[in-house]
Amino acid sequence: MSEIETLKQWIDESDNIVFFGGAGVSTESGIPDFRSVDGLYNQKYKYPPEVMVSHTFLTQHTEEFYDFYKEKLAAPVLNAKPNVAHYKLAEWEKQGKLKAVITQNIDGFHQLAGSKEVLELHGTVMKNYCEKCGKRYTVEDVIKADGVPKCSCGGRIRPDVVLYEEGLDMDIMERAVRYIQKADVLIIGGTSLVVYPAAGLIRYYTGNKLVLVNLSETSQDRYADLVIHEKIGEVFSKL
Ligand code: OAD
């Protein structure tokens, strides 16, 4: 049996699939990932991008933070749409086969595609709030603001995104752990699995149907029961 046929069989037979993904899920929508050769972290900036999406950078280089954030993280989301991988996952959930999508992505595409149980480990560009009064703002409000986005109360508006040096929401993390512990099939896709604590979630899986669908090799390939080094949208469109 080919790898795709095996995956198809596991999916057909399961009603407890959990998906855990990263930036590679949205590259076929036209949004670059972080670490591929054409990814965000291989473009030339004055500071390393990991620095530019850190809490220190937000507080100490606020103007530059928002320049980078608006152009490279927020605007591309508004100019793109979900792809077949997002839609397939939503379809499996609707059919009662998939329990949850756990994502490191901040683009909100899983919800746009129709997924309901989406755990966003790193937050979302879609939600923004005033640091002073808590008033909510849209991603459009942030993008169209001249320079640093400001609330009507004078406070700074920030995205509900987990920056480097900031902690993950423990409630979301615990829910992700529970879904993975109970999963029958765990599909991990489009993630280099190098950013912790998110990447550590894989260790909570105890089943024997761990699937990795990633264009390039990852350091976790050896733990998987099935490894497919192809584009996830292309793989999912065959299922
Ligand atoms: P990375 O850019 O580190 O990894 C994306 C992976 O997806 C790479 O291994 C690619 O080979 C693979 N890939 C790209 N296109 C693909 C496709 N069409 N099909 C299958 N695989 C594909 O992105 P993440 O692992 O998501 O954090 O990065 C994790 C975190 O690092 C992000 O959430 C972000 C970043 O810093 C924050 O911003 C907090």
Side-chain angles (χ1 to χ4, degrees):
M1 228 188 326
S2 73
E3 284 148 348
I4 303 267
E5 279 165 349
T6 304
L7 178 55
K8 192 170 180 330
Q9 188 180 337
W10 289 357
I11 288 168
D12 286 346
E13 289 169 357
S14 180
D15 63 356
N16 189 359
I17 304 165
V18 170
F19 181 81
F20 171 44
V25 175
S26 293
T27 53
E28 286 161 273
S29 293
I31 298 182
D33 63 10
F34 296 94
R35 296 178 181 80
S36 292
V37 277
D38 53 353
L40 267 186
Y41 288 3
N42 287 313
Q43 299 175 10
K44 294 275 167 285
Y45 295 105
K46 205 163 139 199
Y47 303 91
E50 264 126 340
V51 171
M52 297 183 83
V53 287
S54 68
H55 183 83
T56 305
F57 208 73
L58 167 68
T59 52
Q60 294 180 7
H61 300 263
T62 311
E63 303 255 335
E64 282 164 287
F65 171 88
Y66 280 98
D67 280 351
F68 179 85
Y69 173 78
K70 286 197 257 183
E71 186 191 337
K72 298 294 176 187
L73 295 176
V77 171
L78 286 189
N79 299 322
K81 48 184 192 322
N83 64 55
V84 60
H86 301 100
Y87 287 113
K88 267 287 167 195
L89 291 164
E91 190 185 310
W92 292 336
E93 183 185 37
K94 218 168 161 197
Q95 293 168 347
K97 304 181 71 58
L98 180 134
K99 297 291 182 219
V101 168
I102 301 162
T103 183
Q104 298 163 85
N105 295 350
I106 56 175
D107 54 31
F109 281 1
H110 288 292
Q111 290 92 330
L112 259 186
S115 283
K116 301 285 179 240
E117 186 66 347
V118 182
L119 308 189
E120 294 174 307
L121 298 174
H122 293 162
T124 173
V125 298
M126 295 300 166
K127 292 185 192 154
N128 302 273
Y129 62 92
C130 169
E131 289 174 317
K132 211 161 137 195
C133 73
K135 187 174 170 193
R136 293 270 165 190
Y137 286 88
T138 65
V139 61
E140 287 89 351
D141 292 330
V142 170
I143 291 171
K144 69 171 193 260
D146 198 13
V148 178
K150 287 279 164 59
C151 176
S152 42
C153 82
R156 186 170 62 198
I157 301 168
R158 71 155 283 175
D160 203 347
V161 163
V162 181
L163 303 174
Y164 281 90
E165 305 157 355
E166 293 178 341
L168 270 63
D169 181 323
M170 281 325 287
D171 175 54
I172 296 179
M173 207 49 189
E174 280 165 20
R175 280 165 60 211
V177 166
R178 280 201 296 274
Y179 274 120
I180 289 177
Q181 277 174 333
K182 285 194 278 182
D184 162 31
V185 178
L186 175 64
I187 307 176
I188 300 183
T191 173
S192 59
L193 291 171
V194 298
V195 175
Y196 283 80
L201 281 173
I202 187 172
R203 293 198 209 112
Y204 291 95
Y205 179 68
T206 53
N208 59 359
K209 292 179 186 118
L210 175 58
V211 185
L212 267 181
V213 185
N214 204 64
L215 211 46
S216 57
E217 252 177 63
T218 77
S219 62
Q220 316 280 334
D221 283 12
R222 64 202 145 114
Y223 301 115
D225 300 294
L226 190 65
V227 178
I228 303 179
H229 287 149
E230 286 174 49
K231 289 188 176 173
I232 192 162
E234 290 177 10
V235 172
F236 278 19
S237 64
K238 295 178 200 155
L239 297 171

